[in-house]
Amino acid sequence: MIGPSVRSLQPSLKRAYALPILRLGPASYRRTFYSSGVADDSNDEAPKAQSPLAPLDTFARRHIGPSPSSTAEMLKQLHSPPSSLDAFVAEVLPADILAARDLRIKGPSDQSQAGYTESQLLARLRRMAQQNVVLRSYIGCGYAGTRTPEVIKRNVLEGPGWYTSYTPYQPEISQGRLECLLNFQTMVSDLTALPISNASVLDEATAAAEAMTLALNALPMARQKRPGKVFIVSHLVHPQTIAVLHSRAEGFGVRILVIDVMAAGEAQVQQAGDDLIGVLVQYPDTEGGVENFRPLADVIHRNGATLSVATDLLALTVLTPPGEFGADIAFGTAQRFGVPLGYGGPHAAFFACSEKHKRRIPGRLVGVSKDRLGNRALRLALQTREQHIRREKATSNICTAQALLANMSALYAIYHGPKGLAAMAGKVMAEARLLEEAIQRLGFRTGSAGKGEDGRVLFDTVVVEVGSEQAQAMVDWAVENKGINLRRVNPGRVGITVDETVEEDDLKDVISVFQAFSKTKTNVSLPDLATDLNVDAIGATSFIPVAVRRTSPYLSHPVFNSYHSETELLRYMHHLQSRDLSLTHSMIPLGSCTMKLNATTEMVPISWPEFASIHPFAPVDQAKGYATLIRELEADLAEITGFAAVSLQPNSGAQGEFAGLRIIRKYHETMPGEKRDICLIPVSAHGTNPASAAMAGMRVVTVNCESRTGNLDMADLTSKCEKHRDRLAAIMVTYPSTFGIFEPGIKQACAMVHAHGGQVYMDGANMNAQIGLCTPGDIGADVCHLNLHKTFCIPHGGGGPGVGPVGAKSHLAPFLPGHPCIATGGAQAIAPVSGAPWGSAGILPISWAYIKMMGGRGLTHATKITLLNANYMLARLSPHYPILYTNAAGRCAHEFILDVRRFRDSAGLEAIDIAKRLQDYGFHAPTMSWPVANTLMVEPTECESKAEIDRYCDALIAIRHEIREVEEGRQPRGTNVLKMAPHPVADIARPDWDRPYDRERAVFPLPWLRQKKFWPSVARLDDAYGDMNLFCTCGPVDTVDGLTGAAAPDPAGV
């Protein structure tokens, strides 16, 4: 809260000009966030080296785009130019939310709030990395060692052409990664033998939750509404998956019944009757067993329910695929296909289903369509924007994927091909059988469930009975004496999972662990064992029983059989990359998406083995460097948001929303005699908000916004709070709002909800406009999720990964999510929302590095420049396009909405036509048709220079002139340069040019394009054709009238 006292600025932070005095009531006082002028140290063109010992490689000036001279010029270009940068900030933010203190981020020196330099940061990260101990981990449990081909690591994981692109909503400039994701879908479809596969989901555990949700939605409505709904889960499903299922099931009123499905599954299915949603099994299971589930599948289907199978892609090269034994859904992690362990993530999960469920599959799907010229072209299916259309009725709250990791896994499969993968599976299986035999000869039992006819292991995991209370001692001995992590299954059993990295010496070391604890003193020779068992990598699969042995072909498409040399794969990857526009080409000013710089120094550590090669369930004393980084990142995010505690577990923004709402629900459940389940959500909300609320078991009540201002309708909010005062659980608000303004009544709204017994959930999608200037906690929020892939520089990766941490006030902190395998979360922790304890820990160094290099001062200055860049664009474009919403001073926040709806009547043109024409200018469009239909929302971020912003503005202004030609009748409505955009080479190279404009104008509308031109690789896609004729991995989807924002206020209609 802002207090009445005056807090003097540190002398080193004072500037030559006077700070404005803000009148906030009876008392007047100075705000005390970092003051900065246009020539702030944070974005000086050269560092002010007042001492010859001062470092020269400061970071903030590299991150922030506009130079001091540009900043000064931009301020002058604003409507009613402010006297200073800080005076401008005071015109953008309501006075009562301005920060009461400077943002304090611990840097290299306690005496300075300057951030780390780039070299200082890398040195600090090296010291942290040295605290992580990288051992050989054979823990398994859904995570396996892998060798990422260097050609993929260097050119994709570390390639900005891949990791700085956005979700391919503009397909004409995204054909490369769309093709690669289609390869991923084909790979999954082939290996699972199911016809429909999506383009990846977050992780295996959340994929299981999505499978349960799909199974529920597939039931007749009468069965969906039954109070005793049950989802049966095998006790041999990975423990973290079972825990995440509990988290999701509670909101849907579903009971999770964990049983031995082979012993009691058929009886339990019949007993459940119409209460049964479905059954989940693991194949191979968490202990390595492989069972024949055909009989169980038949019983489940006779009961009208769904069989879901969690599986392993490498195993499916040798085992009968789920689609061939009756599975309706198959999912799992593609991590072992070339993606580093990363202490838990990010990894691409896969999700495939039968034809009858194609309309319900969650996430994104890539389909084959055609472009305007009739050529083959790829696109995303309409389902990818489902949350924005169906809101709380959406089948899932997923609005992202793990595209970068899915692309890596697809390329891994392409590099190895079906023969290479089969050889890898054979080697893994042979090594597991040798290991099992050696351990048995040492006198240990390895169990009999799910084994072959010879009683031996059928894939990669061996579980050993080591004696009562001996497991921990053996696991500890393996670490201390051999540098190996084994899995403690329970006090008397130890597990070992073999992977592609295991060589003969590794097997010998594992065997030596058991020799140390064996009462049978015998020498074990691996070559002799191989001879005795008649096993080799080629013939290992012959031991698989016919009932579970794969006989069907897979990965027969030429793409998986053509690029096995590094030369060929390298050329193929660069061919794909060349078809995609990314931040390496130009700015991507997507509103609410915050496409900012992903600095190389931030990205460097993610591929260091000390961060990339640690198993998520390794003993915590092997990850002390990670522990330090996580602790500091949590503390810095708590400082930035004004909260007491932060959890980094949610691995997407939507998962952060879900976690925050689950925390609120759990808090209310501790209040005796209360049942609060109403969630208020403004009509302007992101579509995932109502979807997440429904998943958390809340009932959604919509709150109106004022038509003229876009602000919350306080009268409607008051009415809804009063009406639901006894059931009000929460309100979900985005701040600044999705309309791009700092609503002046936000604190009043928070107080009103609190007064009626509710909690305030703040969607942190727009946090880039708050840092250092205000905090959610001070504004009145109780819980808030952040998007590290937006505000804190984790790259979007062409559609993922993301991280969605959730912060909470002290009364909610005890409910932060826990984990069954590694202790984390609060004292009253909700069940986990992600499979790994810290979610996508492998990319957390990116955000940690960004915050540390910027420092409190740099972060605050960056926020001011974010606001300035948006308002500068607004000032340049407002003479040409109507601006939908601004505050009373005529300012926007970090983004603004161009209202192009009137062009439908005046010229027959819509937002999509402007978006496609921008591609001819070498730019990605702003966010289209959200939060208001047929508008464009622009967010430039602080990273773009004035020169780049001017190029974008010049393009939009030129397009406005093109629109005017249509309005004035100088160009036809049907075949003008906008309607026919974009113009790829294949279009302009046609001999029969019959357009009312020439080719030069089509592709070089501004002079600078002759020197710097990105060419769309296909012409405009035929969306209707694509929806009706999707590739076999995608099904047709229903068309829905009134896209996102149809219910949003329309000032033009007032």
Side-chain angles (χ1 to χ4, degrees):
M1 299 287 293
I2 297 179
S5 60
V6 177
R7 181 176 162 203
S8 60
L9 294 172
Q10 298 177 34
S12 62
L13 303 181
K14 289 182 178 177
R15 283 293 175 263
Y17 57 87
L19 294 175
I21 302 296
L22 302 183
R23 303 287 176 181
L24 302 181
S28 61
Y29 56 95
R30 296 178 188 271
R31 53 173 160 68
T32 59
F33 61 78
Y34 287 113
S35 171
S36 57
V38 296
D40 189 72
D41 293 346
S42 300
N43 71 324
D44 239 352
E45 291 163 290
K48 293 187 173 78
Q50 298 174 355
S51 162
L53 303 178
L56 297 178
D57 60 333
T58 54
F59 174 74
R61 66 194 178 90
R62 306 294 191 188
H63 174 83
I64 297 172
S67 66
S69 58
S70 294
T71 303
E73 180 61 27
M74 293 163 78
L75 282 170
K76 293 177 183 177
Q77 295 298 317
L78 299 184
H79 303 306
S80 302
S83 59
S84 67
L85 185 60
D86 282 356
F88 159 72
V89 170
E91 295 174 356
V92 175
L93 276 74
D96 64 344
I97 70 166
L98 288 170
R101 61 188 182 86
D102 296 334
L103 185 61
R104 310 296 295 181
I105 302 296
K106 183 173 174 55
S109 168
D110 291 336
Q111 285 72 45
S112 170
Q113 270 297 290
Y116 285 81
T117 67
E118 295 187 54
S119 57
Q120 287 173 336
L121 183 107
L122 289 173
R124 174 93 196 281
L125 274 169
R126 281 293 183 196
R127 293 193 294 273
M128 277 188 182
Q130 290 167 3
Q131 293 181 299
N132 292 332
V133 181
V134 182
L135 303 186
R136 292 168 290 175
S137 286
Y138 307 132
I139 297 170
C141 208
Y143 302 89
T146 185
R147 291 194 172 109
T148 307
E150 292 296 325
V151 65
I152 296 175
K153 184 180 80 172
R154 180 67 176 267
N155 293 283
V156 178
L157 179 61
E158 299 174 349
W162 288 86
Y163 67 69
T164 69
S165 57
Y166 187 63
T167 305
Y169 288 137
Q170 295 292 331
E172 298 86 357
I173 51 175
S174 308
Q175 289 295 295
R177 61 191 181 282
L178 282 169
E179 179 175 330
C180 203
L181 290 172
L182 188 67
N183 294 338
F184 178 84
Q185 293 178 180
T186 304
M187 171 189 78
V188 171
S189 229
D190 277 9
L191 291 173
T192 62
L194 287 165
I196 312 296
S197 168
N198 70 15
S200 75
V201 288
L202 302 176
D203 63 16
E204 180 169 328
T206 53
E210 294 296 335
M212 180 185 66
T213 304
L214 189 156
L216 175 61
N217 289 325
L219 294 173
M221 188 56 65
R223 286 182 63 172
Q224 291 184 39
K225 294 182 177 180
R226 291 178 67 91
K229 297 185 294 290
V230 63
F231 189 66
I232 295 175
V233 180
S234 167
H235 71 299
L236 294 175
V237 168
H238 295 314
Q240 70 272 19
T241 299
I242 296 175
V244 170
L245 281 169
H246 279 288
S247 183
R248 181 72 65 90
E250 187 173 333
F252 291 123
V254 173
R255 178 169 63 98
I256 300 295
L257 178 61
V258 181
I259 64 169
D260 182 343
V261 296
M262 296 308 294
E266 294 185 23
Q268 287 288 345
V269 166
Q270 292 170 345
Q271 181 179 333
D274 285 348
D275 286 335
L276 181 67
I277 293 172
V279 177
L280 170 62
V281 298
Q282 190 99 34
Y283 174 83
D285 64 43
T286 193
E287 296 185 3
V290 177
E291 303 285 2
N292 179 8
F293 292 115
R294 280 187 179 90
L296 179 62
D298 292 340
V299 174
I300 293 168
H301 292 151
R302 284 198 298 269
N303 205 57
T306 298
L307 173 62
S308 299
V309 179
T311 190
D312 180 305
L313 291 178
L314 188 62
L316 295 185
T317 64
V318 296
L319 299 179
T320 299
E324 293 180 10
F325 62 70
D328 301 285
I329 300 167
F331 64 86
T333 176
Q335 177 266 317
R336 76 186 306 165
F337 274 26
V339 180
L341 289 165
Y343 205 36
H347 308 135
F350 60 89
F351 194 105
C353 70
S354 60
E355 184 76 17
K356 68 180 180 180
H357 294 306
K358 63 188 178 185
R359 295 172 185 254
R360 299 184 181 93
I361 191 170
R364 295 175 178 147
L365 300 92
V366 177
V368 178
S369 184
K370 63 180 182 180
D371 71 1
R372 178 173 49 77
L373 303 176
N375 298 320
R376 177 183 181 272
L378 308 178
R379 64 187 285 277
L380 291 180
L382 182 61
Q383 281 169 291
T384 58
R385 290 175 64 82
E386 182 206 33
Q387 300 88 11
H388 298 299
I389 297 168
R390 302 192 66 202
R391 294 171 67 84
E392 70 272 15
K393 296 180 181 178
T395 58
S396 168
N397 75 335
I398 290 180
C399 70
T400 189
Q402 298 282 23
L404 184 66
L405 301 316
N407 285 331
M408 289 179 65
S409 291
L411 291 165
Y412 177 94
I414 290 168
Y415 196 40
H416 289 288
K419 293 181 180 179
L421 293 176
M424 192 182 300
K427 179 176 184 291
V428 164
M429 184 175 174
E431 289 178 336
R433 293 171 73 86
L434 290 174
L435 183 61
E436 181 182 47
E437 177 66 17
I439 291 171
Q440 288 178 346
R441 293 190 181 187
L442 291 170
F444 295 96
R445 295 176 57 190
T446 58
S448 58
K451 298 297 184 67
E453 294 169 355
D454 57 358
R456 301 184 188 283
V457 65
L458 287 179
F459 192 53
D460 66 351
T461 297
V462 179
V463 173
V464 186
E465 297 178 14
V466 297
S468 178
E469 305 299 328
Q470 287 297 303
Q472 192 61 54
M474 183 175 285
V475 167
D476 292 343
W477 193 94
V479 169
E480 294 168 7
N481 295 275
K482 294 296 177 180
I484 289 174
N485 285 320
L486 304 177
R487 178 184 175 189
R488 178 187 176 276
V489 178
N490 60 35
R493 300 166 76 219
V494 167
I496 313 108
T497 295
V498 178
D499 57 54
E500 67 165 301
T501 69
V502 174
E503 304 293 351
E504 182 176 351
D505 287 345
D506 301 313
L507 290 177
K508 289 178 179 178
D509 284 345
V510 173
I511 293 168
S512 71
V513 174
F514 290 90
Q515 287 175 322
F517 286 79
S518 173
K519 296 177 182 179
T520 302
K521 301 304 178 184
T522 182
N523 291 322
V524 177
S525 165
L526 288 172
D528 290 346
L529 285 179
T531 300
D532 292 347
L533 295 179
N534 191 29
V535 64
D536 58 49
I538 303 299
T541 58
S542 63
F543 295 98
I544 300 175
V546 173
V548 292
R549 186 193 307 164
R550 182 164 197 146
T551 58
S552 54
Y554 55 89
L555 304 186
S556 57
H557 190 280
V559 74
F560 298 105
N561 297 277
S562 303
Y563 305 110
H564 303 325
S565 75
E566 181 165 332
T567 301
E568 292 300 325
L569 184 69
L570 183 68
R571 288 171 181 163
Y572 179 60
M573 291 190 300
H574 277 269
H575 164 68
L576 296 180
Q577 178 183 314
S578 71
R579 294 160 68 86
D580 288 0
L581 184 142
S582 69
L583 286 175
T584 63
H585 299 98
S586 56
M587 67 185 286
I588 304 178
L590 284 153
S592 195
C593 297
T594 316
M595 293 290 292
K596 63 165 68 177
L597 170 72
N598 316 120
T600 306
T601 298
E602 297 159 6
M603 297 294 295
V604 162
I606 68 170
S607 53
W608 291 353
E610 296 90 343
F611 289 113
S613 300
I614 297 182
H615 193 286
F617 304 150
V620 292
D621 62 0
Q622 294 175 21
K624 292 180 180 178
Y626 256 122
T628 299
L629 185 145
I630 288 168
R631 185 171 58 250
E632 291 187 8
L633 180 56
E634 288 176 345
D636 288 344
L637 293 176
E639 165 72 7
I640 288 167
T641 57
F643 288 122
V646 171
S647 169
L648 298 171
Q649 189 182 102
N651 51 13
S652 78
Q655 289 299 93
E657 291 177 15
F658 177 63
L661 292 170
R662 290 273 296 119
I663 288 166
I664 289 173
R665 287 226 61 183
K666 187 61 68 174
Y667 167 76
H668 284 308
E669 289 170 7
T670 65
M671 302 292 108
E674 290 192 359
K675 184 177 180 181
R676 294 183 172 272
D677 62 354
I678 296 292
C679 185
L680 303 179
I681 300 181
V683 296
S684 62
H686 195 279
T688 57
N689 287 181
S692 295
M695 281 174 44
M698 295 185 180
R699 292 182 293 152
V700 174
V701 174
T702 300
V703 179
N704 293 329
C705 293
E706 295 175 354
S707 295
R708 292 189 181 278
T709 66
N711 294 331
L712 271 174
D713 185 330
M714 296 303 291
D716 189 50
L717 176 62
T718 302
S719 172
K720 301 289 173 60
C721 285
E722 287 290 339
K723 180 178 179 180
H724 302 290
R725 62 181 308 126
D726 295 330
R727 302 294 295 265
L728 180 60
I731 186 172
M732 296 185 80
V733 292
T734 303
Y735 202 73
S737 77
T738 54
F739 292 148
I741 50 174
F742 284 96
E743 298 187 43
I746 185 64
K747 296 189 82 168
Q748 178 188 351
C750 294
M752 184 180 302
V753 171
H754 287 147
H756 289 83
Q759 298 287 289
V760 176
Y761 176 96
M762 185 173 286
D763 185 319
N766 293 340
M767 192 67 201
N768 208 49
Q770 288 196 45
I771 300 178
L773 303 181
C774 59
T775 71
D778 287 344
I779 289 170
D782 300 289
V783 64
C784 173
H785 92 270
L786 305 171
N787 292 313
L788 299 192
H789 49 289
K790 295 182 181 181
T791 310
F792 297 97
C793 292
I794 286 175
H796 284 71
V803 179
V806 60
K809 289 282 186 70
S810 58
H811 65 289
L812 297 181
F815 305 101
L816 290 172
H819 198 276
C821 300
I822 300 290
T824 186
Q828 298 170 270
I830 63 169
V833 297
S834 302
W838 290 282
S840 295
I843 51 177
L844 295 180
I846 300 169
S847 295
W848 177 88
Y850 169 66
I851 293 170
K852 290 302 186 185
M853 287 192 292
M854 293 294 285
R857 181 179 191 80
L859 288 169
T860 305
H861 191 73
T863 306
K864 299 177 187 181
I865 299 300
T866 292
L867 303 177
L868 177 61
N869 279 356
N871 279 273
Y872 173 72
M873 289 190 77
L874 183 151
R876 281 213 61 194
L877 295 174
S878 59
H880 308 278
Y881 296 90
I883 307 299
L884 199 49
Y885 299 113
T886 58
N887 67 10
R891 307 296 190 207
C892 66
H894 65 306
E895 61 190 4
F896 60 94
I897 300 173
L898 294 176
D899 190 356
V900 301
R901 290 174 292 183
R902 66 183 60 181
F903 302 143
R904 176 186 293 168
D905 294 330
S906 68
L909 296 169
E910 305 196 36
I912 191 171
D913 300 309
I914 298 172
K916 301 307 180 186
R917 181 57 174 154
L918 275 167
Q919 295 176 16
D920 287 327
Y921 289 80
F923 287 117
H924 195 292
T927 298
M928 254 192 348
S929 286
W930 187 83
V932 179
N934 202 21
T935 63
L936 298 169
M937 183 160 65
V938 184
E939 180 188 357
T941 83
E942 71 274 13
C943 299
E944 301 300 340
S945 67
K946 180 177 180 294
E948 180 70 356
I949 290 172
D950 281 336
R951 279 204 319 132
Y952 202 96
C953 290
D954 290 344
L956 280 170
I957 292 167
I959 289 172
R960 180 64 183 96
H961 293 320
E962 293 170 348
I963 294 171
R964 186 168 292 110
E965 290 183 347
V966 180
E967 291 174 321
E968 295 173 354
R970 289 181 284 147
Q971 285 287 320
R973 285 189 169 221
T975 55
N976 57 69
V977 72
L978 285 94
K979 280 293 184 185
M980 304 304 287
H983 299 83
V985 172
D987 192 11
I988 65 163
R990 291 184 308 121
D992 54 335
W993 187 261
D994 56 356
R995 311 284 171 75
Y997 53 90
D998 59 34
R999 299 175 204 256
E1000 181 175 11
R1001 186 173 183 190
V1003 298
F1004 297 129
L1006 289 175
W1008 50 264
L1009 286 164
R1010 292 183 176 277
Q1011 285 75 45
K1012 184 180 181 182
K1013 170 76 175 177
F1014 179 88
W1015 290 87
S1017 54
V1018 296
R1020 190 183 303 200
L1021 265 76
D1022 186 334
D1023 288 329
Y1025 176 90
D1027 278 342
M1028 297 176 64
N1029 301 277
L1030 291 179
F1031 180 74
C1032 64
T1033 51
C1034 299
V1037 292
D1038 293 329
T1039 57
V1040 180
D1041 291 332
L1043 283 175
T1044 297
D1050 181 358
V1054 178

